[in-house]
Amino acid sequence: MFKRCICGEAMALGLRKVFYSKTVSITGVPVYACGHCARNEVYPGVKSDLSRLLSDLGAKPLPREIRFDEVHEWAGMLHRAASASVPLSAAGIAKLTEERTNELLDLLLIAASLEDAAWKRELEGRLSQLNGQYIA
Ligand SMILES: [Zn+2]
């Protein structure tokens, strides 16, 4: 997946480690990076969930490492794609998104039939994380 950088070159999507307050490292954050001017940009579709995570951490967090791929469904999918050496192309990502969406919909069906409201809410949250990225 590519995006045009303000310098005119293409930015490639990748997974990065980002630091917060110098004490917390967050791995597996989807970031667009420009190889030409070294500009980085957090993928727009995960921005709101990332900022929610940071505000939950507060101003003086204890040192720790957070795996963003465990926090965010779409980042998790990119992480699995990268681990399996699937190129992060638009077509590859769309296919994986569809597979994961179907998996979650199946689970949602089970949660609904078990009348497990908490599990349903969690699954609905994960589904919206997967589909939210299309807004970007
Ligand atoms: Zn650039």
Side-chain angles (χ1 to χ4, degrees):
M1 297 254 284
F2 293 94
K3 175 196 169 91
R4 183 72 54 199
C5 182
I6 48 168
C7 78
E9 295 294 316
M11 300 176 98
L13 184 63
L15 295 169
R16 293 293 176 92
K17 182 191 265 197
V18 299
F19 288 91
Y20 175 65
S21 287
K22 291 179 187 152
T23 53
V24 179
S25 62
I26 305 166
T27 60
V29 179
V31 168
Y32 274 119
C34 177
H36 183 70
C37 72
R39 192 182 149 80
N40 289 303
E41 203 178 287
V42 172
Y43 188 80
V46 304
K47 256 185 198 165
S48 61
D49 287 294
L50 183 62
S51 57
R52 195 171 316 131
L53 174 68
L54 297 184
S55 73
D56 286 350
L57 286 171
K60 287 202 164 35
L62 295 169
R64 59 188 283 208
E65 186 179 296
I66 294 169
R67 289 182 53 184
F68 194 61
D69 59 274
E70 289 178 352
V71 175
H72 198 284
E73 191 58 41
W74 196 70
M77 205 191 58
L78 290 185
H79 178 76
R80 286 192 293 278
S83 312
S85 299
V86 174
L88 300 183
S89 66
I93 290 169
K95 186 170 174 286
L96 288 170
T97 303
E98 195 192 327
E99 282 172 10
R100 183 63 182 151
T101 300
N102 287 336
E103 246 174 66
L104 289 169
L105 287 173
D106 285 347
L107 291 174
L108 194 61
L109 211 69
I110 297 168
S113 61
L114 294 175
E115 293 176 15
D116 188 332
W119 191 20
K120 258 183 81 178
R121 254 197 315 281
E122 194 217 313
L123 290 168
E124 280 162 358
R126 290 186 169 275
L127 276 166
S128 72
Q129 288 179 340
L130 265 189
N131 297 317
Q133 54 96 11
Y134 289 120
I135 302 164

